[in-house]
Amino acid sequence: MAKQVYMFDEGHKDMKNQLGGKGANLAEMTQIGLPVPYGFTITTDACHSYYQDGKLVNTALKDEIIQALHQLEAATNKKLGDKETPLFVSVRSGSVVSMPGMMDTVLNLGMNDLTVEAQKKLTGNGRFAYDSYRRFIQMFSNVVLGIDLYFFENRLDQLKEAKGYISDPEMTEEDWIELILSYKDLVVKHTNQPFPQDPIEQLMFAIHAVFDSWNNQRAIIYRQLNRIPDSYGTAVNIQSMVFGNTGNDSGTGVAFTRNPSTGENLLYGEFLLNAQGEDVVAGIRTPQPIAQLEQILPDVYQQFVNASLLLEKHYRDMQDIEFTVEQGKLYILQTRNGKRTAASAVRIAVEMAEAGIISKEEALLSVEAEQLNQLLHRRIDNKADMIILTKGLPASPGAATGKVVFNSDEAQAYHDKGEKVILVRPETTPDDIQGIIAAEAVVTSRGGMTSHAAVVARGMGKPCICGVESLKIDTQSKRFVVRETTVNHLDIITIDGDTGSIIVGEVPMIEPKNSSHFHQLLAWADQEKGIDVRANADNKEDSLKALELGAEGIGLCRTEHMFMQADRQKVVKEMILSSSTQERKICLAQLLPIQQGDFEEIFEVMQDLPVTIRLLDPPLHEFLPDKEELLIEVTAMRITEPDSTLLKEKELLLKKVQELSEMNPMLGHRGCRLGLIHPEIYAMQAEAIFLAAITMHQKGIHVKPEIMIPLVGHSNELKIMRKLVIDTAEAVLAKASINMEYTIGTMIEIPRAALTAEQIAAEADFFSFGTNDLTQTTFGYSRDDAEGKFLQTYLEQNILTENPFRVLDKEGVGQLVEIGVNKGRSVKPELKTGICGEHGGEASSIAFCLHAGLDYVSCSPFRVPLARLAAAQATIRRQAIT
Ligand code: PEP
Ligand code: MG
């Protein structure tokens, strides 16, 4: 039978799958000589067996646990349950990937009526010993016996009130003893059993509970949200306790080796003197900044600085370290790669590479591409008039405006109605996870920068402000008060996560400006990436943004957006309503200079970078009013103003709308089918493109237009459209006596086009995979219907693991892309290929495109930085394989 329990000096950091992240790191830290309290880890395989055996710890595992316990006892010279030198342990969960606060933990295990006395004798501190015992009863009863914490807190509050105390430190040894009796009584009341005194029984119960917590509600939700497989299971870490609450030379804390918000290379964290375990993370007392430890316990501070430098070098990444100080000695309890904001991730990556701690490639791989989006988010315009209501700790950057809600259910309910909300709570617990997801931002009146709210919000890239002590929240009557100001349920507030400010009402925001670190990292990305990144842009502003964010050209200019602008709608409408080609041509003649102007603006911005312009794609009725609304209007007018000329016009319009109406417009008269039935529209567009290009040539800007025909399914369609464009181009160029290079290509967005790509390629200079439509046509889903009706259920039931409109379906749609590229290149090896569906801005799809041999990806301008980084990462990973 495989080994199911590992002592800390038997494992190492690459055993995450068996030992969980925490267990592997504890083992690694033990191996590199850091002061880690000794212990052992029960593997994730044991968790699988536990579930297979119907939630039972089998005898083999039990024996291994007892054996490991003996080893631990021998190493620490203590014994679980001993009357003189008792050992106390913590029992903690630890999954393969970190799931902070989602599963259960029991501290101080081994406490009972006898060992508490021994602990009192050993430490000479009876108050501490009994406080530890009552904490254990409370935690064990909650986690293992399932009794709500509220009952315990209530008893503590009652006792404090009876004694006239305000805070816990006023409680004496005798008070804790009295409370313990009351707690034991509570346990009997709820379970009909006395509180278990046998430490081995306590241990086995706790291990069961930790295994069970893998499947508690919040852990399941967290896994769904973060796409963590249910099959991982959790390991269990059993570690000898060190106590941070034995006096003022003890304490506990959490610190990052660098600032997780800004990336600054300075220790960043908090500690609480004379406090235990979860006190910092729970955010119940507001802790002190780590820098103050230097004054209070200088030796310990120096030990901590050394340990953090060692850990960062060893793990080659910024670390998030939990520590405890017991009577002046530092212990490291945990380390992991620290969660960080995008700004911080970028700065840390660049500075660690520049300092030679990691390579440029490692720096590029260390930043999650999707995170870069956070850097492109809006911020508060500080020049705007605003009255700051109050300030708290700036726990996660970014700004947000929304309606105030006071609990997670409401956050969810209003979010579902399409409202933007800000969740305001005294503190958050893991049960608030859904509320935090639904909210734009989170505010808490208690807790520090490492409280639950802060950690979770930073991980999600949501603004968060913590520890706003001036905020008096009344969750019952749903309002909060700051001095004289009352903010009620659903009032609008704005929060600034960069400064910690809370502002009443809405505040103007500004676009972000990127740091030198951001530019440096992306410059390295550009050196590495083996695929170009273009942007989808339809106007001057988008083109400017695309260039600013590093696009190497425009991969898709959707010309319908030019038709939709308000000042052209009248002519466009007239063009569509024309009853003859002749009439239509008159309207098109009016549109020609307008389109030409649009193209000139884009060419002017992009200079000699490639610009792919797609001819009109959507069905014509999209430019006309809604049929139902028009019908209602006309029906009403027939009664109210039967003789008006306006009614006549509206009736004519309705007739045309009815004529153009389609059962399924997604598969209807659109794309090149429009160009084939109304060649004059495409001819006008081609003429406008070449006239614009000529103007540019005359200005010395040598554009080489790339003209793209949409929705081709048969090579004959493309053949005719290609001829139309060439004829138009040649006529326009001949008239101007200018020679110009240009290319004509097509979108591959119909399965038949991919399957017959060698025929299509004969008519095309380039292919651009329109994976939005290709996904619709491959799956046979219309996107709007799918996303509005059944896709969510498909995702929840794991019928599909990802939304295929967001993440390219590699098996199906991807296969068509590969077929298309290979067949196309089989007849035209130099065929240029790209992707311009939304997948062009999604990291895993970009990696796919690189592997499929595409020349470029094209995505919306704001996703260009992400795409550059993702392209570099995919290239580096590919090199690592080959
Ligand atoms: C596509 O189908 O992927 C595409 C880019 O075109 P559109 O989204 O405009 O249909
Ligand atoms: Mg399309």
Side-chain angles (χ1 to χ4, degrees), residues 536 555-556 558 560-561 614 617-618 670 708 710-711 747-749 768-776 783 835-839 858:
N536 295 350
L556 174 63
R558 291 176 163 106
E560 57 268 22
H561 292 173
R614 178 180 76 184
D617 183 11
R670 52 167 290 214
M708 182 152 78
L711 221 73
M747 297 191 65
I748 304 286
E749 44 188 351
S768 179
F769 290 89
T771 46
N772 299 334
D773 274 311
L774 193 57
T775 301
Q776 299 200 90
R783 178 173 186 165
I835 178 178
C836 62
E838 274 173 54
H839 308 91
S858 188

Side-chain angles (χ1 to χ4, degrees), residues 27 31 36 102 117 155-156 264 277 402 438 536 601 627 698 708 728 734 736 750 768-769 831:
Q31 300 278 11
V36 177
M102 294 299 135
E117 276 299 315
R155 295 252 168 143
L156 173 58
E264 192 184 2
N536 295 350
E601 282 190 354
K627 190 171 77 175
Q698 285 159 349
M708 182 152 78
T728 311
I750 303 280
S768 179
F769 290 89
L831 185 78

Side-chain angles (χ1 to χ4, degrees), residues 574-775:
E574 267 175 37
M575 185 268 286
I576 298 169
L577 296 177
S578 313
S579 44
S580 67
T581 311
Q582 216 41 43
E583 256 181 56
R584 183 168 299 113
K585 279 190 174 162
I586 295 171
C587 300
L588 287 168
Q590 289 177 56
L591 282 174
L592 177 76
I594 302 175
Q595 285 250 288
Q596 183 185 336
D598 293 332
F599 295 132
E600 282 171 7
E601 282 190 354
I602 294 173
F603 287 147
E604 183 117 38
V605 173
M606 300 307 290
Q607 299 276 309
D608 48 4
L609 291 174
V611 176
T612 304
I613 297 167
R614 178 180 76 184
L615 303 187
L616 197 64
D617 183 11
L620 293 180
H621 63 75
E622 277 200 10
F623 303 98
L624 298 180
D626 178 77
K627 190 171 77 175
E628 268 80 27
E629 278 173 21
L630 195 59
L631 187 62
I632 293 169
E633 208 182 336
V634 167
T635 311
M637 283 173 81
R638 279 177 185 153
I639 299 162
T640 54
E641 43 184 310
D643 301 321
S644 76
T645 45
L646 188 61
L647 173 61
K648 299 256 158 356
E649 279 172 29
K650 295 257 175 193
E651 280 178 331
L652 216 64
L653 183 61
L654 178 62
K655 191 160 161 274
K656 192 76 190 176
V657 171
Q658 281 167 333
E659 266 171 40
L660 291 174
S661 145
E662 294 178 303
M663 296 304 287
N664 186 346
M666 195 263 295
L667 297 175
H669 190 195
R670 52 167 290 214
C672 65
R673 301 157 200 169
L674 268 181
L676 280 150
I677 305 300
H678 305 297
E680 60 281 4
I681 301 180
Y682 275 19
M684 178 282 285
Q685 292 195 290
E687 188 177 349
I689 294 168
F690 284 97
L691 287 173
I694 289 168
T695 316
M696 290 302 115
H697 274 245
Q698 285 159 349
K699 286 190 184 178
I701 303 168
H702 294 285
V703 291
K704 291 182 214 150
E706 297 177 352
I707 294 151
M708 182 152 78
I709 312 295
L711 221 73
V712 164
H714 195 290
S715 59
N716 285 341
E717 293 172 320
L718 184 58
K719 197 173 181 172
I720 300 171
M721 290 297 95
R722 181 181 178 89
K723 182 169 182 316
L724 176 81
V725 175
I726 293 177
D727 289 350
T728 311
E730 295 308 317
V732 175
L733 294 174
K735 203 165 160 196
S737 306
I738 281 190
N739 266 334
M740 185 186 296
E741 275 181 55
Y742 59 91
T743 51
I744 300 166
T746 186
M747 297 191 65
I748 304 286
E749 44 188 351
I750 303 280
R752 194 182 187 285
L755 296 171
T756 59
E758 72 279 26
Q759 292 164 28
I760 308 264
E763 308 296 336
D765 303 315
F766 61 87
F767 283 176
S768 179
F769 290 89
T771 46
N772 299 334
D773 274 311
L774 193 57
T775 301

